[in-house]
């Protein structure tokens, strides 16, 4: 297990480097991540590669026990390259070219840029592939981040046309499968196709009202852009791998900031790695991104950039500092959740550039303060926990399926103003965690058989194959929950001409009747039957009425003109059961439903209660259970244990009761 920081020696004098390395050593840091923006140093003049500025730093770090992850610097094509080849620049959805002077100003499909990128990756691989202090390589930095994943240049336009031609074979087939007869959008040939001008990317400007554009074409553009970014990434991967067997990966952003399909992006990389900046001031840290990260490559993941503190910020305003203890806790929490490498961004505050005065572990004056000491404390605890974490694994009984195409389709055609697919998945995940269930977030292609309960929130696009697998899963004894929108579209992003949930009416034993969004004045009360009696509460997001066709209606509308109509159902199917939820639920109701489903699925309960503001991961260590317990609150929490455990961090036996400090953590072995 490795713990480190991002570091920028290209900004520094030798005296500053000496000072920083001494501090890193004192903090107990194992590695640094360097180089991702330093192309102008690696290749100051075309073809003249220069490593003399970095070699001694890697050596000095290495002899001080600090290893290096080296990045390719392609997020920042240098001035000379842009001057010589302005055609490599990124063009956004409005047709505006992104000039030199920021970062990520390139087109990933441009052959010239691909070749320059391949060459710099090759040079770095050749020079550092066998360096004993370099243990891994990162490709680029946050591909597609900051609105650079949907290039609209001429190269991309033509490549998209070819991509479509390859996919559909003939323009007639494309017209048919995209339903271009609607509004007379029928094409005569592929050369007439323009990439959609509306982007689903965060903060991008929209050129014309989105609903003018064909949703099937837009979904294909998302797929094309995702594939193009992956292809670009893999050009660099191959260049580095030609020189080394060391780990090559890249840093994804969150779960889905850039809408690259990360399940596909990491196929050829050695492990999943991503960047995460949770707020550490007030709230608990969501482990949803970690649960997702575990599922991408089905193994431990890396956190290549992680929160380090507050102060000034990159965007608009500054950022709040972590609550005392929260930084230390956040690092250990990430390791407990499945990371086996974590790097804070970044070591010491920058004086210049777009990120001047930004957050870091150490302040600009180089004097260690509380954040530094928290990192040091986390490093110390990690030394004690590393062995047991490395040798233990998750064996969760619940899976939640998250899919990028559903995400894209729901951004292309949103169903309700306040509905966000990612947040909805995360909301259900949080409910499960609060009830002490261990959850994996997985793709639609993941093997589901080992799970006792599978949850598929808002799966608006489902392949026939996925539907078949879900049926099989339930038939063989699994417990399934799907929500509204299940299977209403095919992979072409067309509505299916069948009763909803299309192709799944038998497994759920219902048909969906009328549907509509929930707006403030149409909120309805839902009444749900649970073991503890009926629970009532408000609905939200989206409403469907269910027509039972074999299923038991367990939730009904309790008011409005829909009073008495079904909204939640349960159906016995083969040896299993399938639940359908036709609306969004407020927390009490969702808790009631989730509790009922966990019980139905016979999910193993935790031996102690999870209280408000607490999170528990269970990992299997040989035949024992390792309970990783976190208190995110600013007050201590008393846990009634009811049996003896071994406290891994201090070796003591704890029994009956244990008090968890504010922002504290505890690792107990049964
Ligand atoms: C990340 C990026 C870093 C840095 C950081 C600031 O998205 O990869 O280079 O800009 O944000 O929070
Ligand atoms: Zn382009």
């Amino acid at each position: 297990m490795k713990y480190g920081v991002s570091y920028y020696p290209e900004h520094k004098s030798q005296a500053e480097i000496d000072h920083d390395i001494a501090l890193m050593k004192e903090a107990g840091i194992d590695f640094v991540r360097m180089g991702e923006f330093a192309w102008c140093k690696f290749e100051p003049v075309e073809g003249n590669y220069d490593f003399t500025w970095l070699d001694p730093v890697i050596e000095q770090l290495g002899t001080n026990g600090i290893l290096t992850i080296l990045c390719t610097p392609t997020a920042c094509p240098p001035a000379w390259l842009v001057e010589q080849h302005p055609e490599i620049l990124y063009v956004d959805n409005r047709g505006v070219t992104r000039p030199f002077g920021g970062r990520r100003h390139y087109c990933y499909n441009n052959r010239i840029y691909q070749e320059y990128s391949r060459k710099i990756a090759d040079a770095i691989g050749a020079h550092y592939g066998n360096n004993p202090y370099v243990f891994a390589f990162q490709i680029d930095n946050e591909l597609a981040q900051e609105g650079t994943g949907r290039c609209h240049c001429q190269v991309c336009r033509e490549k998209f046309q070819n991509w479509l031609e390859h996919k559909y074979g003939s323009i007639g087939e494309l017209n048919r499968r995209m339903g271009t007869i609607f509004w007379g959008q029928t094409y005569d040939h592929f050369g007439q196709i323009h990439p959609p001008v509306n982007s689903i990317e965060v903060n991008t400007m929209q050129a014309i009202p989105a609903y003018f554009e064909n949703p099937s074409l837009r979904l294909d553009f998302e797929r094309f852009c995702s594939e193009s970014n992956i292809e670009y990434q893999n050009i660099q991967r191959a260049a580095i791998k030609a020189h080394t067997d060391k780990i090559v990966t890249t840093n994804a952003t969150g779960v889905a900031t850039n809408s690259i399909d990360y399940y596909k992006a990491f196929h050829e990389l050695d492990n999943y790695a991503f960047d995460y900046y949770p707020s550490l001031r007030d709230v608990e840290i969501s482990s949803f991104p970690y649960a997702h990260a575990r599922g991408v490559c089905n193994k431990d993941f890396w956190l290549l950039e992680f929160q380090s503190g507050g102060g000034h910020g990159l965007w608009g305003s500054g950022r709040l500092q972590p609550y005392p203890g929260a930084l230390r806790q956040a690092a250990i929490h990430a390791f407990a959740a499945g990371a086996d490498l974590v790097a804070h961004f970044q070591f010491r505050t920058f004086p210049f550039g777009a990120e001047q005065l930004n957050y870091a572990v150490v302040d600009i004056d180089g004097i260690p303060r509380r954040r530094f000491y928290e990192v040091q404390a986390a490093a110390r605890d990690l030394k004690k926990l590393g062995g047991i974490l490395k040798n233990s694994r998750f064996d969760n009984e619940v899976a939640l399926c998250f899919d990028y195409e559903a995400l894209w389709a729901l951004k292309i055609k949103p169903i309700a103003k306040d509905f966000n697919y990612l947040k909805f998945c995360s909301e259900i995940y949080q409910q499960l965690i609060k009830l002490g269930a261990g959850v994996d977030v997985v793709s639609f292609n993941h093997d589901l058989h080992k799970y006792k309960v599978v949850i598929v929130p808002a799966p608006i696009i489902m392949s026939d194959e996925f539907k078949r697998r879900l049926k099989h899963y339930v038939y063989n004894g699994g417990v399934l929950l799907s929500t509204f929108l299940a299977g209403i579209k095919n992979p072409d992003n067309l509505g299916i001409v069948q009763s909803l949930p299309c192709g799944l009416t038998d497994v759920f034993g219902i048909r969906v009747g009328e549907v509509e969004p929930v707006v403030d004045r149409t909120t309805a009360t839902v009444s749900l039957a649970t073991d503890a009696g009926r629970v009532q509460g408000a609905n939200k997001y989206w409403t469907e009425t269910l027509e039972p066709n074999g299923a038991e209606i367990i939730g009904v509308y309790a008011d409005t003109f829909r009073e008495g109509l079904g909204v939640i159902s349960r159906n016995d199917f083969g040896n299993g059961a399938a639940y359908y939820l036709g609306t969004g639920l407020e927390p009490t109701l969702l808790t009631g439903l989730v509790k009922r489903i966990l019980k139905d699925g016979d999910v193993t309960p935790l031996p102690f209660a999870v209280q408000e503001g607490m999170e528990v991961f269970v990992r299997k260590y040989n035949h024992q259970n390792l309970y990783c317990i976190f208190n995110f609150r600013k007050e201590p929490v008393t846990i009634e244990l009811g049996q003896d455990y071994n406290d891994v961090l201090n070796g003591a036996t704890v029994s009956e009761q244990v008090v968890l400090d504010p922002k504290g953590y505890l690792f107990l072995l049964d």
Side-chain angles (χ1 to χ4, degrees):
M1 300 228 153
K2 289 194 172 58
Y3 191 37
V5 288
S6 290
Y7 192 55
Y8 300 88
E10 66 273 28
H11 299 178
K12 311 238 174 197
S13 68
Q14 186 58 47
E16 286 171 316
I17 292 174
D18 293 346
H19 180 87
D20 289 347
I21 293 180
L23 282 182
M24 285 177 198
K25 229 179 135 173
E26 201 186 318
I29 272 169
D30 308 303
F31 77 95
V32 292
R33 184 188 73 120
M34 304 195 285
E36 77 273 31
F37 303 122
W39 196 332
C40 68
K41 295 282 282 183
F42 281 124
E43 193 181 1
V45 174
E46 178 164 7
N48 289 355
Y49 297 107
D50 180 12
F51 301 105
T52 57
W53 63 279
L54 189 58
D55 288 348
V57 184
I58 291 178
E59 174 86 20
Q60 187 181 347
L61 283 157
T63 52
N64 280 284
I66 300 166
L67 298 176
T68 290
I69 295 180
L70 202 58
C71 310
T72 66
T74 47
C76 291
W80 59 259
L81 202 169
V82 174
E83 185 178 38
Q84 220 171 295
H85 293 289
E87 69 275 26
I88 66 142
L89 290 172
Y90 183 85
V91 179
D92 75 13
N93 59 314
R94 296 163 301 163
V96 175
T97 301
R98 189 172 293 226
F100 182 80
R103 63 175 168 183
R104 308 212 48 76
H105 41 280
Y106 68 81
C107 167
Y108 40 81
N109 277 325
N110 184 286
R111 295 269 177 228
I112 297 169
Y113 192 62
Q114 289 180 347
E115 181 55 12
Y116 277 102
S117 303
R118 190 196 61 73
K119 283 196 291 197
I120 186 83
D122 175 74
I124 286 174
H127 190 80
Y128 291 110
N130 295 313
N131 185 309
Y133 298 127
V134 175
F135 70 99
F137 294 87
Q138 174 190 307
I139 294 163
D140 201 284
N141 185 69
E142 296 190 339
L143 287 159
Q145 177 74 339
E146 293 151 4
T148 63
R150 304 291 178 274
C151 183
H152 283 68
C153 77
Q154 193 54 28
V155 169
C156 288
R157 180 177 177 177
E158 280 162 28
K159 192 169 170 185
F160 182 47
Q161 292 169 347
N162 292 336
W163 185 94
L164 291 167
E165 185 160 10
H166 184 257
K167 173 169 176 179
Y168 293 97
S170 73
I171 199 69
E173 179 67 358
L174 177 144
N175 282 326
R176 189 183 68 76
R177 282 175 56 188
M178 289 193 180
T180 58
I181 187 59
F182 190 78
W183 285 356
Q185 290 167 347
T186 302
Y187 297 102
D188 305 312
H189 60 88
F190 287 94
Q192 291 171 338
I193 299 173
H194 195 289
V197 297
N198 281 288
S199 176
I200 66 169
E201 285 172 313
V202 202
N203 296 331
T204 40
M205 306 282 290
Q206 304 305 346
I208 56 162
Y211 56 76
F212 281 27
E213 292 182 296
N214 183 299
S216 301
L217 186 75
R218 292 190 69 194
L219 183 63
D220 266 349
F221 190 59
E222 295 308 311
R223 292 182 176 120
F224 164 75
C225 291
S226 177
E227 280 178 25
S228 298
N229 276 287
I230 297 169
E231 190 184 313
Y232 171 75
Q233 157 204 298
N234 286 340
I235 292 172
Q236 295 198 38
R237 179 204 168 269
I240 301 168
K241 280 286 183 187
H243 302 284
T244 184
D245 290 333
K246 290 177 184 171
I247 291 176
V248 178
T249 188
T250 188
N251 53 338
T253 53
V255 175
T257 317
N258 294 319
S259 303
I260 290 180
D261 184 332
Y262 289 134
Y263 298 128
K264 294 192 175 127
F266 284 78
H267 261 170
E268 292 188 35
L269 300 177
D270 292 308
N271 59 17
Y272 183 62
F274 77 111
D275 298 348
Y276 188 28
Y277 288 87
S279 162
L280 302 180
R281 186 54 163 264
D282 300 311
V283 289
E284 44 213 79
I285 302 167
S286 170
S287 60
F288 182 83
Y290 300 141
H292 169 261
R294 287 196 302 269
V296 178
C297 295
N298 296 314
K299 59 178 179 185
D300 287 350
F301 58 87
W302 285 5
L303 207 44
L304 279 171
E305 284 183 23
F306 191 51
Q307 190 64 284
S308 62
H312 298 260
L314 172 54
W315 296 281
S317 85
R319 187 174 256 173
L320 295 179
Q321 292 289 358
Y323 191 81
L327 186 60
R328 165 186 178 171
Q329 182 191 49
I332 298 298
H333 179 250
F335 284 108
D340 72 353
L341 176 148
V342 174
H344 290 288
F345 184 89
Q346 42 108 11
F347 190 62
R348 185 164 157 189
T349 304
F350 304 124
F352 35 58
E355 297 195 47
Q356 58 175 197
L357 311 177
N358 261 19
Y359 32 84
V361 173
V362 178
D363 294 309
I364 200 160
D365 59 1
I367 295 177
R369 297 196 172 86
R370 69 179 178 98
R371 296 189 310 280
F372 174 89
Y373 293 112
E374 289 198 24
V375 166
Q376 186 181 48
R380 220 182 287 127
D381 281 348
L382 184 65
K383 298 254 152 29
K384 296 186 207 155
L385 294 168
I388 198 163
L389 287 177
K390 195 94 215 161
N391 293 308
S392 60
R393 59 186 175 82
F394 283 87
D395 189 16
N396 290 328
E397 295 174 346
V398 180
L400 185 147
C401 297
F402 170 85
D403 177 59
Y404 287 96
E405 301 211 338
L407 173 85
W408 297 338
L410 283 162
K411 283 188 180 179
I412 289 169
K413 271 190 85 65
I415 55 154
K417 277 207 177 63
D418 57 351
F419 180 77
N420 172 313
Y421 173 67
L422 181 55
K423 283 210 185 106
F424 183 53
C425 290
S426 172
E427 193 180 312
I428 296 176
Y429 172 86
Q430 295 304 343
Q431 271 308 322
L432 292 157
I433 294 292
K434 286 209 167 96
L435 293 171
V439 186
D440 292 339
V441 175
V442 300
S443 81
F444 285 6
N445 295 319
H446 202 275
D447 180 14
L448 300 173
H449 279 102
K450 69 163 268 213
Y451 296 104
K452 290 183 171 174
V453 168
V454 169
I455 299 182
V456 194
I460 187 161
I461 292 184
M462 292 165 106
S463 65
D464 291 341
E465 206 259 335
F466 184 45
K467 290 177 191 172
R468 245 191 325 268
R469 287 178 40 238
L470 285 180
K471 274 189 203 178
H472 197 251
Y473 167 76
V474 179
Y475 194 81
N476 286 303
V479 172
L480 172 69
L481 165 67
S482 182
T483 78
F484 49 92
L485 304 181
I488 68 173
K489 290 180 165 192
N490 71 11
D492 288 333
N493 208 12
L494 296 187
I496 300 172
V497 191
Q498 276 174 23
S499 289
L500 321 181
C502 307
L504 296 169
T505 47
D506 54 351
V507 64
F508 290 108
I510 50 142
R511 250 190 340 248
V512 172
E514 202 171 67
V515 308
E516 70 175 8
V518 178
V519 298
D520 280 350
R521 69 174 198 286
T522 65
T523 305
T525 305
V526 167
S527 168
L528 168 74
T530 71
D531 294 339
R534 292 202 87 85
V535 190
Q536 292 212 343
N539 75 338
K540 57 182 179 181
Y541 304 143
W542 187 252
T543 287
E544 297 179 348
T545 52
L546 311 186
E547 302 166 356
N549 187 15
E552 180 196 352
I553 295 295
I554 60 168
V556 293
Y557 293 101
D559 53 19
T560 77
F561 64 84
R562 299 201 171 93
E563 187 174 345
L565 294 180
V567 65
I568 310 172
S569 60
R570 181 191 179 282
N571 191 40
D572 286 313
F573 185 76
N575 295 320
Y579 287 80
Y580 190 92
L581 169 60
T583 190
L585 298 177
E586 57 121 295
T588 354
L589 276 169
L590 190 57
T591 311
L593 178 64
V594 167
K595 248 191 199 159
R596 180 174 174 157
I597 292 172
L598 291 175
K599 192 159 172 229
D600 208 347
D602 196 22
V603 172
T604 316
L606 280 178
F608 44 83
V610 183
Q611 299 168 52
E612 191 61 35
M614 237 175 98
E615 178 163 29
V616 181
F617 302 117
V618 186
R619 303 175 59 134
K620 299 283 170 204
Y621 179 67
N622 301 322
H623 296 296
Q624 287 171 284
N625 291 304
L626 174 67
Y627 298 95
C628 316
I629 311 170
F630 295 84
N631 174 17
F632 293 116
R633 293 169 55 174
K634 296 170 182 167
E635 307 81 38
V637 165
T638 305
I639 307 171
E640 306 292 339
L641 292 173
Q643 71 170 82
D644 286 359
Y645 293 92
N646 175 22
D647 181 335
V648 179
L649 279 166
N650 63 18
T653 300
V654 288
S655 43
E656 310 283 313
Q657 255 191 5
V658 67
V659 178
L660 203 52
D661 292 335
K663 304 289 172 191
Y665 45 84
L666 196 61
F667 289 75
L668 300 181
L669 210 50
D670 67 4

